[in-house]
């Protein structure tokens, strides 16, 4: 049996390189799909619905090499339609990706119908599985920018560099709506607000797909995930059950997916969890009735990793794997991320032959898959010509990642204007996250858990290195001070002694790199070893700037009051340290805002748009002074300080009374009253003051990020429509009710009446 190495010294492109792009109409594509479908056997159709991980085709004794017989078996015998994941050992170069894709294409071209293989990848903050790619902040940081133009531009760059890797499909954006800050994938989301998430979702989809031009050699198909309710587990642990009334799903979660569908998202990945006792992969109601029929989603529905198999082995709703296949396909699944065996294929072929799954369901699924392949131009072009991508990893792209990181980093506290720092001061940099790229990039970076970022991003700067580059090594004191988990009294004492000789302390705390189940935690406080370091340094009585590198808000209430400044970096990517240090020294004015409430206590996790009964304060109920104010986050959603001062004035609405068909225009003047230019995210909240379903305290309805020079004033205009006044009632219908509403921008408020 002959082995074929991924690295092919010479290979034939066989017409697979990029040809002149011609955007086909929907009618033209539908005709081609129908014609091809009519020629396919049952086995070829089911093969299109089968997705296998690339490592299955490697020789186990020689990682990084294809076993030619295995690849032939997958494509010729099982007719597989899709491959995902990364060849060993991870993060191939552009050339390696090109050669890998060419080997797959060559094999597909030997098949009867020569249907191209659709390759998908978790490129979620840049082409994060290609060596030398530009890595952006993770999604939670994108949300913190409140800048959809910047986010869209980053997605365009990510698409460009992913297509340069010959990969046409990315498993992004993540549209999960997390309700528990302990959840290990919170940083992959846009935070706790559905409106902000919807706007960011559209920006990413438009950027990835080139404004509905996925056939371009610079665009990729996006994949919304994880439909639906995945981020709302009752335990806070990954892939555990959720309890979510459908009214709540419709009010919040579904609105995010609807926005992305309207933007043209080509595919969706289904949640690994279950809602109210039904695994989402088994729910015809959620996948077919709501997603496909009600929301009008015409793209590809793909499972997550092994999730059809898990209907049998984990969820226990299917007695056999064969039964699991039947349930999932009849629920509306179009493609199974099997991904390590061919049982889905063999079971589904048998189910159709025995009449347990109708051919109409198979044809619907395969039509969706083939349509996406035609839209991506895969029948003409599957392997990138590297000459078409001169900007891969370029200074231009890196600068965009830097700008995005700079606009995401959020200044949460700045007592006595301790920031910006003075470049003549002696600085101590310490803390467990101060000197590793792992804590800047997080998971899904070069490898699944991101553990090799220090190798693949060796030329990039850690926080310590960024300080040294700015000031010179001789002007920066450093010791680790603490491990993320293990306590080290000697290191703490070393940090304390160095702190005594420094003017100010930059304390870098956070979390290990993680995603999915390996990121599960049972305690959302910052780790004991890091808290111990913070408290020890506080006794030195020097100003401490706390820098947080974390994917979720780890509680800091044990020591936050002893910090002079708090800066939230989230997971800012390869350019994050450089952006951070420029902010700390005032070369960049911070403009990020929190996309979630930062909780103070583990049993007080209210969201900013809480119900009134979640924030009962003293004396509000029966004049009973024993009630304590329960709403007291460490920092509230939307918090974000600047080195200048923005003032708001002249909030106006064009109507004080409206009918159920009117729009309402809102204007507000924003002035930079300070001495530095700066960017400000103007946030508009709306409160429905009384409603038959208990209303939210307030809800974000509009935002716009503006730039202002010192003493400059801009008038910002927003238009609210009837949808903004609506909520989902007990009959699962969107309605608005007559009554009073309050518009709030900053500390200004105006009321109007819906008659």
């Amino acid at each position: 049996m002959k082995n074929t190495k991924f690295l092919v010294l010479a290979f034939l492109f066989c017409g697979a390189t990029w040809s002149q792009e011609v955007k086909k109409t929907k009618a033209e594509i539908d005709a081609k799909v129908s014609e091809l479908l009519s020629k396919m056997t049952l086995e070829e159709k089911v093969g299109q619905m089968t997705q296998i991980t690339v490592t299955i085709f490697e020789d186990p004794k020689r990682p990084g090499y294809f076993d030619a017989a295995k690849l032939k078996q997958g494509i010729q015998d099982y007719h597989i339609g899709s491959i995902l994941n990364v060849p060993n050992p991870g993060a191939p170069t552009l050339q390696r990706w090109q050669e890998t894709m060419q080997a797959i294409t060559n094999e597909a071209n030997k098949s009867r119908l020569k249907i191209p293989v659709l390759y998908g990848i978790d490129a979620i903050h840049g082409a994060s599985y290609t060596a030398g790619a530009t890595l952006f902040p993770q999604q939670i940081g994108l949300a913190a920018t409140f800048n959809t133009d910047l986010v869209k531009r980053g997605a365009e760059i990510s698409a460009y560099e992913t297509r340069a890797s010959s990969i046409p499909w990315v498993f992004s954006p993540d549209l999960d709506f997390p309700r528990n800050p302990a959840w290990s994938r919170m940083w992959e989301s846009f935070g706790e607000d559905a409106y902000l998430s919807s706007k960011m979702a559209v920006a990413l989809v438009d950027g990835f797909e080139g404004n509905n031009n996925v056939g371009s050699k610079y665009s990729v198909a996006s994949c919304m995930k994880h439909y639906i309710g995945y981020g709302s587990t009752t335990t806070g642990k990954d892939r555990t059950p959720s309890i979510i009334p459908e009214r709540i799903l419709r009010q919040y979660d579904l609105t995010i997916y609807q926005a992305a569908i309207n933007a043209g998202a080509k595919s969706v990945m289904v949640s690994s969890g279950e809602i109210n006792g039904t695994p989402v992969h088994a729910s015809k109601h959620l996948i077919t009735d709501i997603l496909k029929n009600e929301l009008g989603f015409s793209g590809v529905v793909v499972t997550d990793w092994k999730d059809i198999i898990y209907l049998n082995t984990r969820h226990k709703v299917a007695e056999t794997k064969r039964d699991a296949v039947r349930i999932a396909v009849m629920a509306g699944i179009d493609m199974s991320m099997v991904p390590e065996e061919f049982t889905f294929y063999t079971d589904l072929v048998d189910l159709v032959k025995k009449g347990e799954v109708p051919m109409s369901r198979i044809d619907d699924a395969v039509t969706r898959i083939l349509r996406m392949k035609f839209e991506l131009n895969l029948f003409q072009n599957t392997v990138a010509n590297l000459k078409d991508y001169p900007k891969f990893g370029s200074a231009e792209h890196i600068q965009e990642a830097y700008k995005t990181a700079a606009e995401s980093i959020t200044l949460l506290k700045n007592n006595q204007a301790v920031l910006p720092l003075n470049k003549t001061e002696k600085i101590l940099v310490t803390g467990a996250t101060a000197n590793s790229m792992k804590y800047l990039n997080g998971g899904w970076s070069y490898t699944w858990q991101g553990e090799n970022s220090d190798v693949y991003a060796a030329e990039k700067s850690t926080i310590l290195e960024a300080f040294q580059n700015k000031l010179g090594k001789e002007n920066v004191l450093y010791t680790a001070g603490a491990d993320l988990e293990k306590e080290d009294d000697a290191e703490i004492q070393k940090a304390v002694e160095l702190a005594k000789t420094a003017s100010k302390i930059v304390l870098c705390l956070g979390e290990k790199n993680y995603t999915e189940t390996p990121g599960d935690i049972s305690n959302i406080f910052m780790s004991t070893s890091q808290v111990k370091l913070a408290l020890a340094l506080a006794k030195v009585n020097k100003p401490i700037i706390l820098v947080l590198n974390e994917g979720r808000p780890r509680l800091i209430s044990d020591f936050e009051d002893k910090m002079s400044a708090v800066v939230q970096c989230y997971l800012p990517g390869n350019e994050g340290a450089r952006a951070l240090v420029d902010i700390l020294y005032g070369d960049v004015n911070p403009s990020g805002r929190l996309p979630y409430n930062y909780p103070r206590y583990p049993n007080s996790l209210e969201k900013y748009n809480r119900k009134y009964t979640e924030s009962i304060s003293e004396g509000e109920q029966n004049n009973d002074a024993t009630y304590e104010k329960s709403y007291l986050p460490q920092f509230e959603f939307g918090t974000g300080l600047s080195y200048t001062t923005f003032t708001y004035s002249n909030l106006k609405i064009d109507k004080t009374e409206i009918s159920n068909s009117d729009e309402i225009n809102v204007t507000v003047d924003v002035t930079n009253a300070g001495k530095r230019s700066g960017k400000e995210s103007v946030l508009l909240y709306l409160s429905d003051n009384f409603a038959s379903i208990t209303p939210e305290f307030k809800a974000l309805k509009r935002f716009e990020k503006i730039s202002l020079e010192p003493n400059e004033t801009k008038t910002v205009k927003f238009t609210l429509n009837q949808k903004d006044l609506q909520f989902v009632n007990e009959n699962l219908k969107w309605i608005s009710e007559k009554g009073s509403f309050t518009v709030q921008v900053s500390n200004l408020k105006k009321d109007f009446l819906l008659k």
Side-chain angles (χ1 to χ4, degrees):
M1 187 178 292
K2 185 177 179 181
N3 293 315
T4 303
K5 190 178 180 182
F6 282 143
L7 179 59
V8 181
L9 295 178
F11 51 82
L12 300 176
F13 278 82
C14 301
T17 53
W18 288 99
S19 60
Q20 184 177 4
E21 294 172 20
V22 179
K23 189 173 181 180
K24 297 179 179 64
T25 66
K26 182 179 184 300
E28 288 173 328
I29 289 175
D30 287 346
K32 288 180 177 294
V33 169
S34 180
E35 180 185 9
L36 181 55
L37 189 68
S38 69
K39 298 176 181 178
M40 297 174 69
T41 65
L42 168 63
E43 289 76 11
E44 287 169 332
K45 291 176 181 179
V46 172
Q48 287 298 303
M49 300 171 66
T50 305
Q51 186 180 59
I52 301 293
T53 183
V54 68
T55 53
I56 288 299
F57 305 116
E58 294 181 13
D59 183 338
K61 296 180 180 179
R62 305 179 69 195
Y65 290 76
F66 271 137
D67 184 314
K70 289 182 178 179
L71 186 62
K72 179 180 178 181
Q73 180 190 44
I75 294 177
Q76 306 297 343
D77 297 346
Y78 292 103
H79 316 287
I80 61 167
S82 183
I83 295 176
L84 80 155
N85 223 336
V86 190
N88 285 309
T93 63
L94 280 182
Q95 291 75 20
R96 283 289 303 276
W97 272 121
Q98 185 189 56
E99 292 152 4
T100 298
M101 294 304 175
Q102 189 61 53
I104 294 169
T105 297
N106 288 346
E107 193 61 52
N109 283 339
K110 297 174 185 176
S111 65
R112 185 177 75 93
L113 295 174
K114 298 180 174 55
I115 300 175
V117 173
L118 175 62
Y119 206 104
I121 198 79
D122 285 289
I124 67 167
H125 66 125
S128 50
Y129 279 99
T130 302
T134 306
L135 297 196
F136 286 80
Q138 298 281 7
Q139 259 191 220
I140 197 67
L142 299 184
T145 69
F146 280 80
N147 187 336
T148 53
D149 291 338
L150 197 64
V151 170
K152 180 180 177 181
R153 176 62 183 142
E156 290 171 348
I157 291 171
S158 298
Y160 177 105
E161 297 196 356
T162 303
R163 273 284 198 174
S165 311
S166 298
I167 299 171
W169 188 21
V170 296
F171 302 139
S172 179
D174 188 310
L175 306 187
D176 293 320
F177 191 58
R179 291 177 170 88
N180 190 320
W183 189 50
S184 61
R185 307 191 74 164
M186 183 173 184
W187 54 268
E188 295 183 57
S189 77
F190 293 120
E192 70 177 47
D193 182 73
Y195 178 77
L196 174 62
S197 297
S198 297
K199 291 300 181 183
M200 290 294 168
V202 170
L204 279 189
V205 171
D206 283 346
F208 283 138
E209 300 194 347
N211 296 317
N212 280 311
N213 186 24
V214 295
S216 166
K217 60 188 174 186
Y218 301 124
S219 299
V220 294
S222 66
C223 184
M224 309 172 287
K225 63 184 189 185
H226 305 85
Y227 179 87
I228 191 169
Y230 185 43
S232 303
T233 67
T234 56
T235 65
K237 304 291 181 65
D238 185 46
R239 288 175 164 84
T240 56
S242 300
I243 300 174
I244 314 171
E246 187 169 326
R247 194 192 73 78
I248 298 298
L249 276 177
R250 291 178 175 274
Q251 178 91 39
Y252 302 104
D253 308 62
L254 277 176
T255 62
I256 309 171
Y257 285 90
Q258 183 70 81
I261 290 169
N262 291 347
K266 297 299 180 186
S267 61
V268 64
M269 185 181 295
V270 178
S271 163
S272 300
E274 60 183 64
I275 301 176
N276 307 330
T278 301
V280 183
H281 282 79
S283 177
K284 181 178 180 292
H285 176 62
L286 290 174
I287 297 174
T288 297
D289 298 344
I290 294 180
L291 177 65
K292 291 185 174 181
N293 296 340
E294 184 180 326
L295 300 188
F297 179 66
S298 60
V300 175
V301 178
V302 62
T303 77
D304 206 337
W305 189 270
K306 290 180 73 170
D307 275 338
I308 291 181
I309 292 171
Y310 290 149
L311 293 179
N312 165 243
T313 60
R314 288 182 177 178
H315 297 286
K316 306 295 185 180
V317 297
E319 292 187 6
T320 64
K321 288 198 287 187
R322 182 181 184 277
D323 198 34
V325 171
R326 178 187 58 79
I327 291 170
V329 171
M330 293 306 296
I333 293 297
D334 300 318
M335 181 183 288
S336 174
M337 189 185 292
V338 187
E340 299 170 314
E341 57 184 61
F342 297 100
T343 55
F344 171 83
Y345 170 91
T346 54
D347 286 339
L348 186 52
V349 168
D350 185 61
L351 285 162
V352 177
K353 286 182 176 179
K354 293 180 178 175
E356 296 177 61
V357 172
M359 183 63 80
S360 59
R361 177 74 269 275
I362 302 302
D363 285 347
D364 171 60
V366 178
T367 294
R368 292 166 180 265
I369 294 165
L370 294 178
R371 183 190 298 124
M372 188 160 82
K373 291 186 177 186
F374 276 109
E375 288 173 335
L376 284 164
N377 261 332
L378 296 186
F379 285 85
Q380 287 74 40
N381 315 298
T382 53
V383 180
N385 182 345
L386 300 187
K387 293 180 180 179
D388 290 335
Y389 301 91
K391 294 184 179 181
F392 177 88
S394 64
E396 176 186 331
H397 287 184
I398 290 169
Q399 180 62 17
E400 288 295 324
Y402 167 85
K403 285 166 55 180
T404 307
E407 288 203 26
S408 72
I409 293 171
T410 306
L411 180 60
L412 298 174
K413 178 181 180 180
N414 191 21
N415 284 359
Q416 298 179 331
V418 65
L419 294 176
L421 298 170
N422 188 317
K423 293 176 184 175
T424 65
E425 297 176 308
K426 180 75 75 173
I427 298 295
L428 168 64
V429 176
T430 189
T433 62
N435 196 28
S436 175
M437 295 304 298
K438 292 186 295 186
Y439 312 129
L440 296 172
N441 277 319
W444 301 116
S445 301
Y446 306 109
T447 56
W448 176 40
Q449 294 295 310
E451 69 276 8
N452 292 331
S453 283
D454 285 315
V455 175
Y456 286 107
E459 78 284 2
K460 300 297 182 178
S461 295
T462 67
I463 294 174
L464 171 63
E465 290 165 346
F467 268 101
Q468 292 172 336
N469 294 339
K470 174 80 75 174
L471 304 178
K473 289 185 178 181
E474 67 279 5
N475 296 314
V476 181
L477 302 173
Y478 170 73
T479 190
D483 181 79
L484 283 171
E485 300 296 338
K486 184 176 63 177
E487 294 185 36
D488 188 336
D489 290 339
E491 257 302 315
I492 290 177
Q493 188 57 40
K494 185 177 179 181
V496 167
E497 292 304 316
L498 285 174
K500 293 175 181 177
T501 67
S503 298
K504 293 184 174 68
I505 304 164
V506 177
L507 176 59
C508 304
L509 305 183
E511 300 185 290
K512 69 177 183 179
N513 46 289
Y514 64 87
T515 190
E516 300 189 76
T517 304
D520 283 350
I521 54 175
S522 299
N523 183 348
I524 64 172
F525 277 97
M526 192 67 72
S527 65
T528 302
S529 58
Q530 295 184 91
V531 173
K532 191 172 181 179
L533 172 63
L535 293 174
L537 289 172
K539 293 178 181 178
V540 180
N541 201 28
K542 297 285 181 72
I544 301 177
I545 294 87
L546 174 62
V547 172
L548 298 169
N549 289 277
E550 54 188 8
R552 55 196 157 195
R554 301 298 291 265
L555 303 192
I556 57 174
S557 50
D558 285 347
F559 59 90
E560 182 273 336
D561 61 330
K562 299 173 178 62
M563 305 291 106
S564 298
V566 179
V567 182
Q568 174 62 286
C569 288
Y570 315 98
L571 299 169
N574 276 343
E575 310 308 319
R578 188 160 59 97
L580 168 68
V581 172
D582 283 350
I583 286 172
L584 295 182
Y585 281 98
D587 298 326
V588 172
N589 198 348
S591 63
R593 285 179 178 260
L594 267 185
Y596 52 73
N597 266 8
Y598 201 118
R600 188 181 299 268
Y601 307 114
N603 62 336
S604 186
L605 304 177
E606 301 90 352
K607 308 307 177 189
Y608 88 90
N609 59 337
R610 64 204 182 277
K611 298 298 185 78
Y612 286 84
T613 49
E614 292 182 81
S615 53
I616 299 172
S617 58
E618 292 184 4
E620 280 189 354
Q621 186 164 333
N622 300 325
N623 296 316
D624 186 345
T626 62
Y627 281 94
E628 294 182 357
K629 188 175 179 64
S630 62
Y631 180 72
L632 190 63
Q634 196 79 56
F635 303 103
E636 190 176 29
F637 174 94
T639 298
L641 305 178
S642 171
Y643 294 149
T644 191
T645 302
F646 297 102
T647 60
Y648 288 73
S649 60
N650 299 323
L651 177 65
K652 297 177 182 178
I653 56 177
D654 67 343
K655 304 177 186 74
T656 56
E657 293 185 357
I658 63 172
S659 70
N660 59 8
S661 61
D662 288 336
E663 294 182 337
I664 185 165
N665 295 307
V666 182
T667 58
V668 64
D669 292 342
V670 185
T671 301
N672 183 347
K675 298 180 180 180
R676 291 173 176 259
S677 61
K679 296 179 180 180
E680 172 75 343
S681 294
V682 182
L683 312 185
L684 183 151
Y685 297 96
L686 184 68
S687 299
D688 185 349
N689 294 320
F690 297 93
S692 57
I693 297 289
T694 56
E696 301 165 290
F697 185 82
K698 62 180 181 180
L700 183 71
K701 295 297 181 180
R702 296 289 185 275
F703 63 87
E704 183 177 341
K705 196 163 194 176
I706 60 174
S707 298
L708 290 171
E709 297 299 320
N711 300 316
E712 183 183 5
T713 298
K714 286 185 178 178
T715 300
V716 180
K717 179 181 178 180
F718 299 108
T719 299
L720 298 175
N721 56 45
Q722 287 293 317
K723 181 71 174 181
D724 297 311
L725 312 183
Q726 295 179 348
F727 61 90
V728 178
N729 69 6
E730 289 182 339
N731 296 319
L732 306 183
K733 302 297 183 182
W734 282 94
I735 66 165
S736 58
E737 295 177 335
K738 295 178 180 180
S740 64
F741 293 79
T742 300
V743 172
Q744 179 179 348
V745 182
S746 186
N747 59 342
L748 306 176
K749 295 182 179 181
K750 288 285 184 179
D751 293 340
F752 66 91
L753 190 68
L754 174 63
K755 297 183 68 178

